[in-house]
Amino acid sequence: MSERRLVRVAATSARVFAGAAVATAAVIGTVVGIAAPWPQYSATPVRVQATPAPGDTLLACDGPLLALGRSADSASSLSSAAGQQVVSGPADSDASPTALTGATSDASGDAEALRAAPRDGAPSPLAAAGSATAAASDLVGFAASACRPPLAESWLVGGATTTGANDLVVLANPGAVPATVQLSVYGAKGVSDPPSGQNLVVPAGGRRVVPLAGLLLGEESPVVRVVSSGAPVHASLQAQLTRLLLPGGVDQVAPLAQADTRLVMPGVQVPAADASQAGTVLRLLSPGSDASATVTLVPNDPSVSAPAPTDIPLTAGLPTSVNLSGAAAGAYTVDVSATAPIVGSTWSTTGFGEGSDFAWYVPAPAVSTPSAIAVASGVGANLVIAGGDTDTTVTLTPADGGAAVTTAVAAGASVAVPVAAGVYRLETGAPVRAAVTYAGAGALASYPLWPADAAASALTILP
């Protein structure tokens, strides 16, 4: 081998050995670096606790009963048919009343709104309810309703747009800025967005009334969804019925705040069975998807045997009616459990002849916190309490300082407590659902009780 070749071989071997050494060192360094402890850094996130300032307690009432088309000059004009008597309190809430105008051409159709400033760092307890009795050739019956806070979205389950029905959707805006409302109607062909129910402007401090028949004509079981932007609104439905030119009752139907998988309607009156007429009818709607609902009737009287539960299939977007008239006459809590969120209410009547009345029983939400409630004036008033999963006691204390009444409510049972008109504080040891109901000769009404707004809790803010 020549000297030159020996030099090349030596140089190449040196490079190989050097490269191997460098690679080995790199591997060893990497392994050691991974195994060795790295510098640690930790920081506690900045957290700021902030409690929102409580807002005013704001309630809007349904106002007087309205009559459509009494004027010979204008078939579409509205007039007041019977004034509403409002009961509100407690007195120390210092609530200030204002008028909700615009339903009629004069002040006779104005409704009342109540506003109370916060007290002791919490919303002021405030409750109100009203009642009205109509006795005219075109409108008879008794109606009672609670004054409610406005909502951005609500559901109206009740009424009809068939022959004899003359129902009205009533929108009230007790706020300080205008509201724009969209109405969607669910009927036999599914959901529709009628042009007459779109972009309805309800002025601040005002009311707007829309005939239900103008939204979707010929529907036996309509359900209306109310969505508001700009400001929340209080929506209600005035339902009235005429049979063979004879007025057959009137009611002011409360809204549902949202769809739920469980609906509880306390105090539904089931009249004596009539093979030719359905005296009690449950209306259900699953707006989002097909569902199955189980309907259970719980009698207020424990000596009455409860009917067997009924399973009802529901098609998405199509209202379904269920005849409950087969149960023995009496008062019941209608309890509906579903596999998907639903809305619903139950209709009942005192009869089908002259001088009869009817009521829509709207689901009651669970009440677990102490709440102010109002009982409007009316015949046969009862507070009907539906028990939850555990036995509990419910205490009702008059706001005017009268003696408190404590009632035991068994789990899954219903209890009716006679009450006089006024404002009360309701306290319960476990969640219950409750409604104020009225039943008398030619008078039937009901409205659910909602829980009081709890004081605003602290929020954790992570900047």
Side-chain angles (χ1 to χ4, degrees), residues 56-62 86-89 93 95-98 100 111-116 124-129 146-150 172-175 234 372 374 450-451 453:
D56 292 350
T57 302
L58 182 60
L59 304 177
C61 303
D62 286 348
V86 176
V87 173
S88 64
S93 65
S96 56
T98 57
L100 297 170
E112 188 172 302
L114 297 165
R115 182 186 295 271
S124 181
L126 178 64
C147 305
R148 301 293 189 197
N173 177 10
H234 168 61
W450 289 8
D453 291 334

PDB file of all heavy atoms in Angstrom, residues 56-62 86-89 93 95-98 100 111-116 124-129 146-150 172-175 234 372 374 450-451 453:
ATOM      1  N   ASP A  56     -83.538  45.601  40.061  1.00  0.00           N
ATOM      2  CA  ASP A  56     -84.896  45.808  40.537  1.00  0.00           C
ATOM      3  C   ASP A  56     -85.732  44.549  40.305  1.00  0.00           C
ATOM      4  O   ASP A  56     -85.513  43.796  39.352  1.00  0.00           O
ATOM      5  CB  ASP A  56     -85.546  46.977  39.796  1.00  0.00           C
ATOM      6  CG  ASP A  56     -84.903  48.306  40.137  1.00  0.00           C
ATOM      7  OD1 ASP A  56     -84.101  48.352  41.080  1.00  0.00           O
ATOM      8  OD2 ASP A  56     -85.199  49.288  39.433  1.00  0.00           O
ATOM      9  N   THR A  57     -86.690  44.330  41.182  1.00  0.00           N
ATOM     10  CA  THR A  57     -87.712  43.306  40.961  1.00  0.00           C
ATOM     11  C   THR A  57     -88.802  43.933  40.104  1.00  0.00           C
ATOM     12  O   THR A  57     -89.385  44.964  40.472  1.00  0.00           O
ATOM     13  CB  THR A  57     -88.290  42.808  42.284  1.00  0.00           C
ATOM     14  OG1 THR A  57     -87.231  42.279  43.089  1.00  0.00           O
ATOM     15  CG2 THR A  57     -89.323  41.731  42.042  1.00  0.00           C
ATOM     16  N   LEU A  58     -89.075  43.320  38.953  1.00  0.00           N
ATOM     17  CA  LEU A  58     -90.000  43.909  37.978  1.00  0.00           C
ATOM     18  C   LEU A  58     -91.062  42.890  37.598  1.00  0.00           C
ATOM     19  O   LEU A  58     -90.748  41.770  37.199  1.00  0.00           O
ATOM     20  CB  LEU A  58     -89.218  44.344  36.736  1.00  0.00           C
ATOM     21  CG  LEU A  58     -89.991  45.036  35.607  1.00  0.00           C
ATOM     22  CD1 LEU A  58     -90.640  46.318  36.127  1.00  0.00           C
ATOM     23  CD2 LEU A  58     -89.052  45.347  34.444  1.00  0.00           C
ATOM     24  N   LEU A  59     -92.323  43.268  37.744  1.00  0.00           N
ATOM     25  CA  LEU A  59     -93.446  42.389  37.437  1.00  0.00           C
ATOM     26  C   LEU A  59     -94.411  43.106  36.494  1.00  0.00           C
ATOM     27  O   LEU A  59     -94.630  44.306  36.614  1.00  0.00           O
ATOM     28  CB  LEU A  59     -94.203  41.995  38.704  1.00  0.00           C
ATOM     29  CG  LEU A  59     -93.410  41.319  39.832  1.00  0.00           C
ATOM     30  CD1 LEU A  59     -94.318  41.067  41.025  1.00  0.00           C
ATOM     31  CD2 LEU A  59     -92.774  40.025  39.350  1.00  0.00           C
ATOM     32  N   ALA A  60     -94.988  42.338  35.572  1.00  0.00           N
ATOM     33  CA  ALA A  60     -96.010  42.859  34.666  1.00  0.00           C
ATOM     34  C   ALA A  60     -97.282  42.039  34.824  1.00  0.00           C
ATOM     35  O   ALA A  60     -97.233  40.801  34.846  1.00  0.00           O
ATOM     36  CB  ALA A  60     -95.526  42.811  33.216  1.00  0.00           C
ATOM     37  N   CYS A  61     -98.408  42.709  34.949  1.00  0.00           N
ATOM     38  CA  CYS A  61     -99.698  42.035  35.110  1.00  0.00           C
ATOM     39  C   CYS A  61    -100.412  41.906  33.769  1.00  0.00           C
ATOM     40  O   CYS A  61    -100.133  42.651  32.825  1.00  0.00           O
ATOM     41  CB  CYS A  61    -100.568  42.808  36.101  1.00  0.00           C
ATOM     42  SG  CYS A  61     -99.815  43.032  37.732  1.00  0.00           S
ATOM     43  N   ASP A  62    -101.366  40.967  33.715  1.00  0.00           N
ATOM     44  CA  ASP A  62    -102.089  40.729  32.462  1.00  0.00           C
ATOM     45  C   ASP A  62    -103.097  41.822  32.136  1.00  0.00           C
ATOM     46  O   ASP A  62    -103.469  42.011  30.975  1.00  0.00           O
ATOM     47  CB  ASP A  62    -102.813  39.378  32.525  1.00  0.00           C
ATOM     48  CG  ASP A  62    -101.846  38.211  32.397  1.00  0.00           C
ATOM     49  OD1 ASP A  62    -100.677  38.441  32.030  1.00  0.00           O
ATOM     50  OD2 ASP A  62    -102.256  37.067  32.664  1.00  0.00           O
ATOM     51  N   VAL A  86    -105.944  43.883  41.367  1.00  0.00           N
ATOM     52  CA  VAL A  86    -104.597  43.393  41.638  1.00  0.00           C
ATOM     53  C   VAL A  86    -104.314  43.406  43.129  1.00  0.00           C
ATOM     54  O   VAL A  86    -104.601  44.388  43.821  1.00  0.00           O
ATOM     55  CB  VAL A  86    -103.541  44.230  40.882  1.00  0.00           C
ATOM     56  CG1 VAL A  86    -102.129  43.782  41.252  1.00  0.00           C
ATOM     57  CG2 VAL A  86    -103.749  44.107  39.373  1.00  0.00           C
ATOM     58  N   VAL A  87    -103.767  42.314  43.631  1.00  0.00           N
ATOM     59  CA  VAL A  87    -103.288  42.189  45.000  1.00  0.00           C
ATOM     60  C   VAL A  87    -101.764  42.127  44.930  1.00  0.00           C
ATOM     61  O   VAL A  87    -101.202  41.320  44.173  1.00  0.00           O
ATOM     62  CB  VAL A  87    -103.838  40.913  45.667  1.00  0.00           C
ATOM     63  CG1 VAL A  87    -103.201  40.702  47.035  1.00  0.00           C
ATOM     64  CG2 VAL A  87    -105.352  40.986  45.787  1.00  0.00           C
ATOM     65  N   SER A  88    -101.058  42.975  45.681  1.00  0.00           N
ATOM     66  CA  SER A  88     -99.598  43.001  45.610  1.00  0.00           C
ATOM     67  C   SER A  88     -99.004  43.268  46.988  1.00  0.00           C
ATOM     68  O   SER A  88     -99.663  43.784  47.894  1.00  0.00           O
ATOM     69  CB  SER A  88     -99.122  44.064  44.616  1.00  0.00           C
ATOM     70  OG  SER A  88     -99.485  45.363  45.043  1.00  0.00           O
ATOM     71  N   GLY A  89     -97.742  42.947  47.136  1.00  0.00           N
ATOM     72  CA  GLY A  89     -97.035  43.184  48.395  1.00  0.00           C
ATOM     73  C   GLY A  89     -95.798  42.320  48.480  1.00  0.00           C
ATOM     74  O   GLY A  89     -95.396  41.714  47.492  1.00  0.00           O
ATOM     75  N   SER A  93     -91.987  46.296  50.571  1.00  0.00           N
ATOM     76  CA  SER A  93     -91.198  46.241  49.338  1.00  0.00           C
ATOM     77  C   SER A  93     -91.106  47.608  48.665  1.00  0.00           C
ATOM     78  O   SER A  93     -90.247  47.828  47.807  1.00  0.00           O
ATOM     79  CB  SER A  93     -91.811  45.232  48.363  1.00  0.00           C
ATOM     80  OG  SER A  93     -93.096  45.663  47.939  1.00  0.00           O
ATOM     81  N   ALA A  95     -92.903  48.960  46.427  1.00  0.00           N
ATOM     82  CA  ALA A  95     -93.017  48.850  44.969  1.00  0.00           C
ATOM     83  C   ALA A  95     -93.759  50.042  44.397  1.00  0.00           C
ATOM     84  O   ALA A  95     -94.743  50.522  44.974  1.00  0.00           O
ATOM     85  CB  ALA A  95     -93.750  47.562  44.601  1.00  0.00           C
ATOM     86  N   SER A  96     -93.274  50.531  43.263  1.00  0.00           N
ATOM     87  CA  SER A  96     -93.929  51.651  42.590  1.00  0.00           C
ATOM     88  C   SER A  96     -94.662  51.132  41.359  1.00  0.00           C
ATOM     89  O   SER A  96     -94.087  50.436  40.521  1.00  0.00           O
ATOM     90  CB  SER A  96     -92.899  52.696  42.180  1.00  0.00           C
ATOM     91  OG  SER A  96     -91.900  52.112  41.360  1.00  0.00           O
ATOM     92  N   PRO A  97     -95.957  51.444  41.224  1.00  0.00           N
ATOM     93  CA  PRO A  97     -96.721  50.988  40.070  1.00  0.00           C
ATOM     94  C   PRO A  97     -96.608  51.952  38.891  1.00  0.00           C
ATOM     95  O   PRO A  97     -96.477  53.166  39.069  1.00  0.00           O
ATOM     96  CB  PRO A  97     -98.151  50.950  40.608  1.00  0.00           C
ATOM     97  CG  PRO A  97     -98.183  52.033  41.643  1.00  0.00           C
ATOM     98  CD  PRO A  97     -96.801  52.091  42.243  1.00  0.00           C
ATOM     99  N   THR A  98     -96.650  51.380  37.698  1.00  0.00           N
ATOM    100  CA  THR A  98     -96.731  52.165  36.470  1.00  0.00           C
ATOM    101  C   THR A  98     -97.750  51.508  35.555  1.00  0.00           C
ATOM    102  O   THR A  98     -98.116  50.348  35.749  1.00  0.00           O
ATOM    103  CB  THR A  98     -95.368  52.253  35.758  1.00  0.00           C
ATOM    104  OG1 THR A  98     -94.897  50.926  35.479  1.00  0.00           O
ATOM    105  CG2 THR A  98     -94.349  52.989  36.604  1.00  0.00           C
ATOM    106  N   LEU A 100     -99.027  50.044  31.899  1.00  0.00           N
ATOM    107  CA  LEU A 100     -98.635  49.491  30.606  1.00  0.00           C
ATOM    108  C   LEU A 100     -99.751  49.833  29.631  1.00  0.00           C
ATOM    109  O   LEU A 100    -100.863  49.313  29.734  1.00  0.00           O
ATOM    110  CB  LEU A 100     -98.444  47.972  30.710  1.00  0.00           C
ATOM    111  CG  LEU A 100     -97.319  47.512  31.651  1.00  0.00           C
ATOM    112  CD1 LEU A 100     -97.391  46.006  31.865  1.00  0.00           C
ATOM    113  CD2 LEU A 100     -95.964  47.908  31.089  1.00  0.00           C
ATOM    114  N   ALA A 111    -102.686  47.916  31.723  1.00  0.00           N
ATOM    115  CA  ALA A 111    -102.330  46.942  32.749  1.00  0.00           C
ATOM    116  C   ALA A 111    -101.355  47.590  33.725  1.00  0.00           C
ATOM    117  O   ALA A 111    -100.835  48.679  33.484  1.00  0.00           O
ATOM    118  CB  ALA A 111    -101.729  45.696  32.124  1.00  0.00           C
ATOM    119  N   GLU A 112    -101.085  46.894  34.811  1.00  0.00           N
ATOM    120  CA  GLU A 112    -100.218  47.431  35.848  1.00  0.00           C
ATOM    121  C   GLU A 112     -98.866  46.740  35.828  1.00  0.00           C
ATOM    122  O   GLU A 112     -98.772  45.523  35.609  1.00  0.00           O
ATOM    123  CB  GLU A 112    -100.878  47.247  37.223  1.00  0.00           C
ATOM    124  CG  GLU A 112    -100.154  47.927  38.375  1.00  0.00           C
ATOM    125  CD  GLU A 112    -100.950  47.885  39.662  1.00  0.00           C
ATOM    126  OE1 GLU A 112    -102.096  48.391  39.671  1.00  0.00           O
ATOM    127  OE2 GLU A 112    -100.431  47.351  40.654  1.00  0.00           O
ATOM    128  N   ALA A 113     -97.814  47.530  36.027  1.00  0.00           N
ATOM    129  CA  ALA A 113     -96.469  47.002  36.232  1.00  0.00           C
ATOM    130  C   ALA A 113     -95.962  47.481  37.579  1.00  0.00           C
ATOM    131  O   ALA A 113     -96.295  48.585  38.023  1.00  0.00           O
ATOM    132  CB  ALA A 113     -95.524  47.447  35.123  1.00  0.00           C
ATOM    133  N   LEU A 114     -95.168  46.639  38.250  1.00  0.00           N
ATOM    134  CA  LEU A 114     -94.657  46.955  39.579  1.00  0.00           C
ATOM    135  C   LEU A 114     -93.137  46.817  39.577  1.00  0.00           C
ATOM    136  O   LEU A 114     -92.584  45.852  39.040  1.00  0.00           O
ATOM    137  CB  LEU A 114     -95.258  46.015  40.624  1.00  0.00           C
ATOM    138  CG  LEU A 114     -96.780  46.097  40.796  1.00  0.00           C
ATOM    139  CD1 LEU A 114     -97.288  44.897  41.573  1.00  0.00           C
ATOM    140  CD2 LEU A 114     -97.168  47.379  41.513  1.00  0.00           C
ATOM    141  N   ARG A 115     -92.472  47.783  40.190  1.00  0.00           N
ATOM    142  CA  ARG A 115     -91.006  47.764  40.279  1.00  0.00           C
ATOM    143  C   ARG A 115     -90.601  48.063  41.711  1.00  0.00           C
ATOM    144  O   ARG A 115     -91.076  49.031  42.319  1.00  0.00           O
ATOM    145  CB  ARG A 115     -90.395  48.797  39.331  1.00  0.00           C
ATOM    146  CG  ARG A 115     -88.863  48.803  39.324  1.00  0.00           C
ATOM    147  CD  ARG A 115     -88.332  49.948  38.479  1.00  0.00           C
ATOM    148  NE  ARG A 115     -88.681  49.792  37.080  1.00  0.00           N
ATOM    149  CZ  ARG A 115     -87.928  49.135  36.183  1.00  0.00           C
ATOM    150  NH1 ARG A 115     -86.785  48.594  36.567  1.00  0.00           N
ATOM    151  NH2 ARG A 115     -88.312  49.074  34.928  1.00  0.00           N
ATOM    152  N   ALA A 116     -89.690  47.211  42.251  1.00  0.00           N
ATOM    153  CA  ALA A 116     -89.183  47.412  43.616  1.00  0.00           C
ATOM    154  C   ALA A 116     -87.664  47.391  43.583  1.00  0.00           C
ATOM    155  O   ALA A 116     -87.054  46.503  42.970  1.00  0.00           O
ATOM    156  CB  ALA A 116     -89.708  46.329  44.548  1.00  0.00           C
ATOM    157  N   SER A 124     -85.630  42.718  46.087  1.00  0.00           N
ATOM    158  CA  SER A 124     -86.718  42.892  47.036  1.00  0.00           C
ATOM    159  C   SER A 124     -87.807  41.858  46.785  1.00  0.00           C
ATOM    160  O   SER A 124     -88.222  41.641  45.650  1.00  0.00           O
ATOM    161  CB  SER A 124     -87.308  44.297  46.906  1.00  0.00           C
ATOM    162  OG  SER A 124     -88.352  44.490  47.829  1.00  0.00           O
ATOM    163  N   PRO A 125     -88.290  41.164  47.844  1.00  0.00           N
ATOM    164  CA  PRO A 125     -89.399  40.222  47.657  1.00  0.00           C
ATOM    165  C   PRO A 125     -90.657  40.965  47.235  1.00  0.00           C
ATOM    166  O   PRO A 125     -91.055  41.941  47.871  1.00  0.00           O
ATOM    167  CB  PRO A 125     -89.552  39.562  49.030  1.00  0.00           C
ATOM    168  CG  PRO A 125     -88.950  40.533  49.989  1.00  0.00           C
ATOM    169  CD  PRO A 125     -87.863  41.239  49.256  1.00  0.00           C
ATOM    170  N   LEU A 126     -91.267  40.506  46.162  1.00  0.00           N
ATOM    171  CA  LEU A 126     -92.455  41.170  45.631  1.00  0.00           C
ATOM    172  C   LEU A 126     -93.301  40.147  44.895  1.00  0.00           C
ATOM    173  O   LEU A 126     -92.780  39.333  44.116  1.00  0.00           O
ATOM    174  CB  LEU A 126     -92.057  42.297  44.678  1.00  0.00           C
ATOM    175  CG  LEU A 126     -93.193  43.064  43.988  1.00  0.00           C
ATOM    176  CD1 LEU A 126     -94.035  43.811  45.012  1.00  0.00           C
ATOM    177  CD2 LEU A 126     -92.629  44.032  42.952  1.00  0.00           C
ATOM    178  N   ALA A 127     -94.589  40.171  45.129  1.00  0.00           N
ATOM    179  CA  ALA A 127     -95.520  39.283  44.434  1.00  0.00           C
ATOM    180  C   ALA A 127     -96.802  40.050  44.157  1.00  0.00           C
ATOM    181  O   ALA A 127     -97.180  40.953  44.903  1.00  0.00           O
ATOM    182  CB  ALA A 127     -95.814  38.032  45.258  1.00  0.00           C
ATOM    183  N   ALA A 128     -97.464  39.685  43.060  1.00  0.00           N
ATOM    184  CA  ALA A 128     -98.729  40.319  42.703  1.00  0.00           C
ATOM    185  C   ALA A 128     -99.537  39.350  41.850  1.00  0.00           C
ATOM    186  O   ALA A 128     -98.981  38.512  41.133  1.00  0.00           O
ATOM    187  CB  ALA A 128     -98.487  41.630  41.942  1.00  0.00           C
ATOM    188  N   ALA A 129    -100.836  39.472  41.942  1.00  0.00           N
ATOM    189  CA  ALA A 129    -101.748  38.656  41.135  1.00  0.00           C
ATOM    190  C   ALA A 129    -103.045  39.424  40.979  1.00  0.00           C
ATOM    191  O   ALA A 129    -103.390  40.273  41.816  1.00  0.00           O
ATOM    192  CB  ALA A 129    -102.000  37.296  41.788  1.00  0.00           C
ATOM    193  N   ALA A 146    -101.117  35.536  37.724  1.00  0.00           N
ATOM    194  CA  ALA A 146    -100.050  36.154  38.506  1.00  0.00           C
ATOM    195  C   ALA A 146     -99.317  37.176  37.651  1.00  0.00           C
ATOM    196  O   ALA A 146     -99.185  37.003  36.432  1.00  0.00           O
ATOM    197  CB  ALA A 146     -99.077  35.101  39.013  1.00  0.00           C
ATOM    198  N   CYS A 147     -98.855  38.231  38.270  1.00  0.00           N
ATOM    199  CA  CYS A 147     -97.997  39.193  37.589  1.00  0.00           C
ATOM    200  C   CYS A 147     -96.588  38.606  37.532  1.00  0.00           C
ATOM    201  O   CYS A 147     -96.078  38.110  38.540  1.00  0.00           O
ATOM    202  CB  CYS A 147     -98.007  40.531  38.320  1.00  0.00           C
ATOM    203  SG  CYS A 147     -99.672  41.215  38.542  1.00  0.00           S
ATOM    204  N   ARG A 148     -95.968  38.656  36.347  1.00  0.00           N
ATOM    205  CA  ARG A 148     -94.737  37.921  36.098  1.00  0.00           C
ATOM    206  C   ARG A 148     -93.589  38.842  35.686  1.00  0.00           C
ATOM    207  O   ARG A 148     -93.815  39.906  35.095  1.00  0.00           O
ATOM    208  CB  ARG A 148     -94.945  36.917  34.964  1.00  0.00           C
ATOM    209  CG  ARG A 148     -96.024  35.884  35.200  1.00  0.00           C
ATOM    210  CD  ARG A 148     -95.663  34.940  36.295  1.00  0.00           C
ATOM    211  NE  ARG A 148     -96.600  33.823  36.399  1.00  0.00           N
ATOM    212  CZ  ARG A 148     -96.686  33.044  37.455  1.00  0.00           C
ATOM    213  NH1 ARG A 148     -95.915  33.267  38.500  1.00  0.00           N
ATOM    214  NH2 ARG A 148     -97.549  32.042  37.477  1.00  0.00           N
ATOM    215  N   PRO A 149     -92.346  38.411  35.940  1.00  0.00           N
ATOM    216  CA  PRO A 149     -91.206  39.121  35.359  1.00  0.00           C
ATOM    217  C   PRO A 149     -91.146  38.864  33.863  1.00  0.00           C
ATOM    218  O   PRO A 149     -91.567  37.801  33.386  1.00  0.00           O
ATOM    219  CB  PRO A 149     -89.993  38.499  36.079  1.00  0.00           C
ATOM    220  CG  PRO A 149     -90.461  37.161  36.536  1.00  0.00           C
ATOM    221  CD  PRO A 149     -91.928  37.307  36.821  1.00  0.00           C
ATOM    222  N   PRO A 150     -90.653  39.807  33.073  1.00  0.00           N
ATOM    223  CA  PRO A 150     -90.559  39.588  31.620  1.00  0.00           C
ATOM    224  C   PRO A 150     -89.480  38.566  31.300  1.00  0.00           C
ATOM    225  O   PRO A 150     -88.525  38.373  32.059  1.00  0.00           O
ATOM    226  CB  PRO A 150     -90.193  40.978  31.092  1.00  0.00           C
ATOM    227  CG  PRO A 150     -89.506  41.656  32.246  1.00  0.00           C
ATOM    228  CD  PRO A 150     -90.160  41.133  33.491  1.00  0.00           C
ATOM    229  N   ALA A 172     -96.443  42.436  26.802  1.00  0.00           N
ATOM    230  CA  ALA A 172     -96.231  43.623  27.626  1.00  0.00           C
ATOM    231  C   ALA A 172     -94.734  43.824  27.858  1.00  0.00           C
ATOM    232  O   ALA A 172     -94.006  42.864  28.113  1.00  0.00           O
ATOM    233  CB  ALA A 172     -96.947  43.484  28.967  1.00  0.00           C
ATOM    234  N   ASN A 173     -94.299  45.073  27.757  1.00  0.00           N
ATOM    235  CA  ASN A 173     -92.896  45.413  27.943  1.00  0.00           C
ATOM    236  C   ASN A 173     -92.772  46.414  29.091  1.00  0.00           C
ATOM    237  O   ASN A 173     -92.931  47.622  28.898  1.00  0.00           O
ATOM    238  CB  ASN A 173     -92.320  46.004  26.649  1.00  0.00           C
ATOM    239  CG  ASN A 173     -90.878  46.449  26.797  1.00  0.00           C
ATOM    240  OD1 ASN A 173     -90.226  46.167  27.803  1.00  0.00           O
ATOM    241  ND2 ASN A 173     -90.373  47.163  25.799  1.00  0.00           N
ATOM    242  N   PRO A 174     -92.464  45.947  30.306  1.00  0.00           N
ATOM    243  CA  PRO A 174     -92.331  46.860  31.444  1.00  0.00           C
ATOM    244  C   PRO A 174     -90.966  47.536  31.517  1.00  0.00           C
ATOM    245  O   PRO A 174     -90.713  48.290  32.451  1.00  0.00           O
ATOM    246  CB  PRO A 174     -92.551  45.933  32.647  1.00  0.00           C
ATOM    247  CG  PRO A 174     -92.009  44.618  32.183  1.00  0.00           C
ATOM    248  CD  PRO A 174     -92.311  44.537  30.707  1.00  0.00           C
ATOM    249  N   GLY A 175     -90.084  47.268  30.557  1.00  0.00           N
ATOM    250  CA  GLY A 175     -88.738  47.805  30.587  1.00  0.00           C
ATOM    251  C   GLY A 175     -88.647  49.223  30.075  1.00  0.00           C
ATOM    252  O   GLY A 175     -89.652  49.886  29.780  1.00  0.00           O
ATOM    253  N   HIS A 234     -93.348  40.248  28.854  1.00  0.00           N
ATOM    254  CA  HIS A 234     -94.276  39.326  29.513  1.00  0.00           C
ATOM    255  C   HIS A 234     -95.364  38.972  28.514  1.00  0.00           C
ATOM    256  O   HIS A 234     -96.101  39.847  28.042  1.00  0.00           O
ATOM    257  CB  HIS A 234     -94.886  39.965  30.756  1.00  0.00           C
ATOM    258  CG  HIS A 234     -96.052  39.194  31.304  1.00  0.00           C
ATOM    259  ND1 HIS A 234     -95.948  37.892  31.745  1.00  0.00           N
ATOM    260  CD2 HIS A 234     -97.355  39.536  31.467  1.00  0.00           C
ATOM    261  CE1 HIS A 234     -97.122  37.466  32.158  1.00  0.00           C
ATOM    262  NE2 HIS A 234     -97.993  38.448  31.999  1.00  0.00           N
ATOM    263  N   ALA A 372     -92.148  35.030  48.048  1.00  0.00           N
ATOM    264  CA  ALA A 372     -93.392  35.777  48.226  1.00  0.00           C
ATOM    265  C   ALA A 372     -94.378  35.338  47.152  1.00  0.00           C
ATOM    266  O   ALA A 372     -94.018  35.212  45.978  1.00  0.00           O
ATOM    267  CB  ALA A 372     -93.124  37.276  48.116  1.00  0.00           C
ATOM    268  N   ALA A 374     -98.680  35.712  45.800  1.00  0.00           N
ATOM    269  CA  ALA A 374     -99.894  36.520  45.899  1.00  0.00           C
ATOM    270  C   ALA A 374    -101.096  35.675  45.513  1.00  0.00           C
ATOM    271  O   ALA A 374    -101.043  34.909  44.547  1.00  0.00           O
ATOM    272  CB  ALA A 374     -99.794  37.749  44.997  1.00  0.00           C
ATOM    273  N   TRP A 450     -94.244  30.732  40.897  1.00  0.00           N
ATOM    274  CA  TRP A 450     -92.832  30.697  40.515  1.00  0.00           C
ATOM    275  C   TRP A 450     -91.983  31.014  41.725  1.00  0.00           C
ATOM    276  O   TRP A 450     -92.390  31.784  42.611  1.00  0.00           O
ATOM    277  CB  TRP A 450     -92.558  31.718  39.410  1.00  0.00           C
ATOM    278  CG  TRP A 450     -93.131  31.360  38.078  1.00  0.00           C
ATOM    279  CD1 TRP A 450     -93.982  30.336  37.791  1.00  0.00           C
ATOM    280  CD2 TRP A 450     -92.908  32.039  36.842  1.00  0.00           C
ATOM    281  NE1 TRP A 450     -94.304  30.332  36.459  1.00  0.00           N
ATOM    282  CE2 TRP A 450     -93.660  31.361  35.844  1.00  0.00           C
ATOM    283  CE3 TRP A 450     -92.151  33.148  36.472  1.00  0.00           C
ATOM    284  CZ2 TRP A 450     -93.665  31.758  34.509  1.00  0.00           C
ATOM    285  CZ3 TRP A 450     -92.151  33.546  35.143  1.00  0.00           C
ATOM    286  CH2 TRP A 450     -92.899  32.864  34.166  1.00  0.00           C
ATOM    287  N   PRO A 451     -90.773  30.460  41.802  1.00  0.00           N
ATOM    288  CA  PRO A 451     -89.893  30.776  42.929  1.00  0.00           C
ATOM    289  C   PRO A 451     -89.384  32.195  42.848  1.00  0.00           C
ATOM    290  O   PRO A 451     -89.297  32.788  41.769  1.00  0.00           O
ATOM    291  CB  PRO A 451     -88.747  29.765  42.778  1.00  0.00           C
ATOM    292  CG  PRO A 451     -88.724  29.459  41.312  1.00  0.00           C
ATOM    293  CD  PRO A 451     -90.154  29.515  40.859  1.00  0.00           C
ATOM    294  N   ASP A 453     -86.601  35.157  42.876  1.00  0.00           N
ATOM    295  CA  ASP A 453     -85.219  35.269  42.419  1.00  0.00           C
ATOM    296  C   ASP A 453     -84.306  35.256  43.634  1.00  0.00           C
ATOM    297  O   ASP A 453     -84.495  36.018  44.581  1.00  0.00           O
ATOM    298  CB  ASP A 453     -85.006  36.570  41.637  1.00  0.00           C
ATOM    299  CG  ASP A 453     -85.738  36.555  40.309  1.00  0.00           C
ATOM    300  OD1 ASP A 453     -85.968  35.454  39.792  1.00  0.00           O
ATOM    301  OD2 ASP A 453     -86.076  37.638  39.804  1.00  0.00           O
TER     302      ASP A 453
END
